[in-house]
Amino acid sequence: MIAVDVGGTFTDVVALRDGQIKTAKVTTDYAEVFGPVLEGAAALGVEDASVFNHASTHGLNAVITRRLPKIGFLTTEGHRDILDMGRVWRPAHAILDSRWRRSFGDAARPLVQRYLRRGIHERITADGGVLFELDEAQARTELEVLRSCGVTGVAICLINAYVNQAHEVRLRELVREVLGDVPCSISSEVSPLAKEYARASTTVIDTLMKIIYTDYTAKLEKGLADLGFSGELNFADCAATLVPSGRAMELPFRIVFSGPAAGTVGCAHFGGLIGENNLLCADVGGTSIDISVVTAGEPFVNTSFELEHDLVVNALANDISSIGAGGGSIVAIGPAGEIQVGPDSAGSSPGPACYGRGGTQPTTTDTCLMIGIIDPARFAGGAVNLDPALSLQAFENLDSEFTLAQKVRYAYEMAVNNMAEGVFNVAIKNGVDPRDYSLVAFGAAGPMLLPAVLDTVHCKQVIVPPNPGLFSALGLLSADQVFTANRSAYMLLTPEAAPAIDTLFGEMESQLREGLDEGTGVTFHRSMDAHLAGQSWETPFVPVPDGVIDADAITTMVQSFHDTYENRSGNRFESMPVEGVTFRVRAVLDTPKVAYPEVPQRGDAPLKPVRTTVLRYLGDIDADGEGAQTADVYDRDTLCAGDVVDGPAIVDEGLSTTHIGATQRATVGRYGELIIRRK
């Protein structure tokens, strides 16, 4: 089995063969993103692989940077500005800021320019009736405008199309007649859910992803075939569940946020193997730290997510919070002369000062190099040469009255504090006590920085899994293959609604079975999003019983709603009627998963460090001293199950470095994981 995680800076490839995990890390090429994927696949060998699981931030980065193709947007006449208005929500920091503008609005960087958004004369009512028939002549005129503008795709979202798709289907036929075979998405197929704006933004993203990924997928499939791969190519979606590439390209909006989600699934799987089912997952990369929660072995999943503030996508997605704190976070002097770290990042170009690529500002990576946590000769497995003199120069150039030792020490403490604050806030947001949760540190910079948050966040322990630098890619070998169908239909949960709801679930399950081979092991999971009658927002993922939906099943659904509502809000209102809004079916297929090899016991030979090093600026610093500590250095590949490493210590491996603080102790687990606790 092979998996690849295409990031903004590096493309991570992992292979599981004969019980052994092999890895490759290749620099991402924005001009031809598929190239590094094939390069990494060739390095590890794909000839005998049965599956190739793929996750990427390629589409996400295209949206964030607005390197997007030109598309048109068709909607009901009078609603062309829905994409500009969004939900009219402001972030908390902008409530009183008259200058604030949403990032995707016409005053900033719209996904679709206003002149490419055209109103169509038609109207479907909320119950599915036709108020105005589709004016085909007027629609053709608007499509001619789009043709003259050179659009390469069209997104269609008509009012109330989720209850009656007739006008959208016909309008798509007209697009084919006027514009030819351009990618075209209709909201009634992409996201047949209530609430027009989220349905519209999701449909626009789907059209963009079709253009971005269709050619990419074709080149990737051909390249893999040329390398001898004959297995199944799967794409991960926003919940890091797997979908065959052909099915993924039917609704590619689901894969726009696949990269960060894979790490959460990998944590849940690995946590189950070691008996730790309550986890705070923290992926520290160059620019940000992505934080998520796993409770009782299950990631927290939302029914939608935001690519940017108020830019909504209706897709099941792991709930991930990102803050600007990573290895590339820039160290600067604030207006009051204080040390600040992030959220600005040096990125991969020019990168940290020590990279020698023209960066002049110190970063968190430069900080750790100055301290001595990073060995410049072993960074990134020796693939990147670091120059400590450039880090020293960058810190000396900071305009501050602090001494050099203070600059480095405070930069380190601020970087750790930013991450600790992010982890703590996510725990509180999800209503969990961090003392009951283990913190999983992964990403290239996670093991280097996150053990230091133990004294601030008071987590149970920090777990550094095997191959932390490529752990998100490993997460793709821990994921299930899942197909999802959902429909919105406002119905009070009464016995009279049972036949309609039963028909709805029957149609969705039949739709999912059509794409599956006979004899495939599959389990169907039903759920619904519902609310108390009169509420505007739903309680998601209310369990729905299997089998025929009859009066007894309706009673069970109502009871399940009240139980779920109470668990989420702490309140229960059994006297109020319940209204179902969205009904959902997930088909989960039997999927092979990564089995981590166990590491041997040490035996009689004592554990010895490979060398010692000096860590500066972490102890007491004053005018005469640099706060030096002597630390043992260990090679992770030589550690055995049961080994105990007392801090201060450094554990080196090819693509990551773990720093064990002076007050901490690490124990090696059965799979080679490092369990770091306070002494």
Side-chain angles (χ1 to χ4, degrees):
M1 297 193 297
I2 293 182
V4 58
D5 178 21
V6 182
T9 305
F10 291 105
T11 294
D12 298 334
V13 187
V14 298
L16 179 66
R17 181 177 287 109
D18 300 327
Q20 298 297 314
I21 296 173
K22 304 295 184 183
T23 65
K25 202 175 190 76
V26 186
T27 301
T28 299
D29 181 358
Y30 277 98
E32 289 189 337
V33 181
F34 66 90
V37 177
L38 297 176
E39 182 182 343
L44 297 183
V46 296
E47 302 83 3
D48 58 343
S50 58
V51 295
F52 192 98
N53 297 337
H54 177 283
S56 175
T57 59
H58 178 41
L60 173 64
N61 291 335
V63 173
I64 292 173
T65 61
R66 295 298 191 271
R67 297 191 183 102
L68 296 172
K70 180 189 286 189
I71 69 169
F73 175 70
L74 302 179
T75 188
T76 304
E77 197 170 54
H79 293 268
R80 66 188 293 200
D81 290 321
I82 187 172
L83 291 177
D84 188 26
M85 295 184 295
R87 293 177 296 184
V88 202
W89 290 4
R90 284 172 172 258
H93 70 270
I95 294 294
L96 301 177
D97 184 358
S98 61
R99 297 170 297 176
W100 181 85
R101 298 290 185 272
R102 55 181 32 81
S103 60
F104 55 86
D106 287 339
R109 303 182 301 160
L111 300 180
V112 184
Q113 297 281 351
R114 191 172 192 269
Y115 76 96
L116 298 174
R117 306 198 303 258
R118 317 302 296 182
I120 304 299
H121 189 69
E122 67 81 43
R123 186 60 186 256
I124 299 292
T125 59
D127 61 0
V130 178
L131 183 62
F132 299 119
E133 292 287 351
L134 175 66
D135 187 336
E136 295 193 9
Q138 186 260 350
R140 288 179 184 274
T141 300
E142 298 296 347
L143 288 170
E144 288 291 347
V145 172
L146 294 181
R147 185 174 66 83
S148 66
C149 292
V151 300
T152 57
V154 178
I156 301 173
C157 179
L158 304 179
I159 300 300
N160 294 321
Y162 70 95
V163 291
N164 183 348
Q165 68 170 176
H167 287 179
E168 283 196 345
V169 171
R170 178 54 184 154
L171 196 53
R172 179 170 57 185
E173 293 172 354
L174 295 178
V175 169
R176 296 280 186 266
E177 293 176 14
V178 177
L179 299 178
D181 190 23
V182 299
C184 181
S185 300
I186 62 175
S187 71
S188 53
E189 292 179 355
V190 170
S191 180
L193 306 176
K195 298 183 174 63
E196 259 64 40
Y197 166 65
R199 185 156 51 88
S201 60
T202 303
T203 307
V204 167
I205 293 297
D206 188 72
T207 305
L208 295 170
M209 293 305 109
K210 280 181 179 176
I211 299 171
I212 290 171
Y213 275 110
T214 299
D215 182 59
Y216 169 87
T217 303
K219 291 179 178 178
L220 180 60
E221 289 175 338
K222 181 182 183 303
L224 289 174
D226 291 344
L227 292 174
F229 176 70
S230 59
E232 185 172 38
L233 173 62
N234 296 315
F235 278 32
D237 64 15
C238 300
T241 55
L242 302 172
V243 183
S245 59
R247 292 284 290 269
M249 288 303 100
E250 294 173 5
L251 296 172
F253 76 94
R254 294 177 175 174
I255 67 174
V256 66
F257 198 60
S258 57
T264 307
V265 172
C267 289
H269 175 65
F270 188 76
L273 295 178
I274 64 174
E276 294 291 338
N277 293 317
N278 293 331
L279 305 169
L280 291 166
C281 313
D283 180 359
V284 185
T287 303
S288 66
I289 172 174
D290 299 326
I291 309 165
S292 54
V293 176
V294 172
T295 299
E298 295 293 333
F300 189 86
V301 178
N302 282 326
T303 57
S304 65
F305 65 96
E306 294 181 340
L307 291 177
E308 299 170 1
H309 173 75
D310 212 23
L311 179 51
V312 182
V313 177
N314 278 338
L316 298 183
N318 290 342
D319 186 31
I320 298 173
S321 299
S322 297
I323 63 171
S329 295
I330 292 174
V331 181
I333 304 299
E338 77 279 14
I339 295 287
Q340 295 181 341
V341 180
D344 293 337
S345 173
S348 59
S349 180
C354 58
Y355 279 19
R357 299 173 182 171
T360 58
Q361 295 175 288
T363 66
T364 299
T365 297
D366 293 295
T367 304
C368 291
L369 181 61
M370 290 286 292
I371 292 171
I373 295 173
I374 295 175
D375 184 343
R378 293 172 57 89
F379 185 75
V384 179
N385 294 319
L386 302 185
D387 188 344
L390 294 177
S391 297
L392 174 61
Q393 181 180 352
F395 270 102
E396 288 180 336
N397 289 342
L398 284 179
D399 186 11
S400 171
E401 295 182 357
F402 292 129
T403 65
L404 175 65
Q406 289 172 324
K407 292 176 185 177
V408 177
R409 170 68 170 271
Y410 299 157
Y412 176 77
E413 291 180 346
M414 286 303 302
V416 170
N417 181 75
N418 290 342
M419 295 181 183
E421 184 177 10
V423 172
F424 188 77
N425 287 343
V426 168
I428 297 304
K429 184 186 80 169
N430 286 274
V432 303
D433 187 338
R435 293 173 296 184
D436 299 328
Y437 281 66
S438 297
L439 177 62
V440 184
F442 60 104
M448 179 173 69
L449 296 164
L450 288 173
V453 311
L454 267 178
D455 292 330
T456 305
V457 181
H458 298 293
C459 294
K460 177 181 173 183
Q461 58 198 7
V462 172
I463 300 172
V464 180
N467 298 292
L470 300 104
F471 195 67
S472 288
L474 274 173
L476 296 174
L477 299 180
S478 310
D480 290 313
Q481 192 172 92
V482 179
F483 300 91
T484 304
N486 47 51
R487 305 258 186 93
S488 278
Y490 285 84
M491 285 187 276
L492 286 174
L493 299 185
T494 63
E496 292 75 20
I501 295 175
D502 185 64
T503 300
L504 205 60
F505 277 114
E507 290 175 351
M508 288 190 289
E509 290 179 2
S510 297
Q511 171 191 338
L512 292 176
R513 288 186 188 278
E514 288 177 2
L516 302 177
D517 297 330
E518 291 187 14
T520 301
V522 59
T523 304
F524 287 96
H525 299 276
R526 296 176 173 179
S527 65
M528 67 175 178
D529 302 344
H531 58 209
L532 299 170
Q535 285 184 320
S536 296
W537 302 103
E538 292 73 55
T539 297
F541 304 117
V542 177
V544 174
D546 295 327
V548 176
I549 302 297
D550 52 19
D552 290 339
I554 292 292
T555 300
T556 302
M557 291 165 65
V558 171
Q559 185 69 28
S560 294
F561 170 83
H562 290 304
D563 292 342
T564 306
Y565 189 91
E566 184 177 24
N567 287 337
R568 293 178 69 95
S569 70
N571 296 307
R572 193 179 187 95
F573 302 98
E574 289 192 335
S575 61
M576 296 186 66
V578 177
E579 186 173 38
V581 177
T582 299
F583 300 88
R584 183 176 292 107
V585 177
R586 299 174 73 240
V588 182
L589 278 64
D590 295 334
T591 309
K593 294 180 174 61
V594 59
Y596 291 87
E598 296 187 16
V599 298
Q601 299 283 335
R602 173 156 301 280
D604 296 331
L607 173 64
K608 294 182 179 180
V610 293
R611 63 184 182 279
T612 60
T613 190
V614 176
L615 303 180
R616 298 174 296 276
Y617 315 123
L618 294 182
D620 294 330
I621 57 175
D622 52 39
D624 300 320
E626 293 185 333
Q629 298 176 348
T630 300
D632 292 329
V633 180
Y634 298 86
D635 188 334
R636 189 166 185 181
D637 290 340
T638 65
L639 295 179
C640 297
D643 282 348
V644 176
V645 177
D646 280 322
I650 300 294
V651 178
D652 269 336
E653 55 187 298
L655 299 176
S656 188
T657 298
T658 301
H659 173 218
I660 303 164
T663 63
Q664 298 172 343
R665 172 177 293 147
T667 304
V668 182
R670 63 187 293 192
Y671 300 108
E673 72 276 12
L674 302 177
I675 309 295
I676 302 173
R677 301 185 179 95
R678 289 174 290 276
K679 289 183 184 177

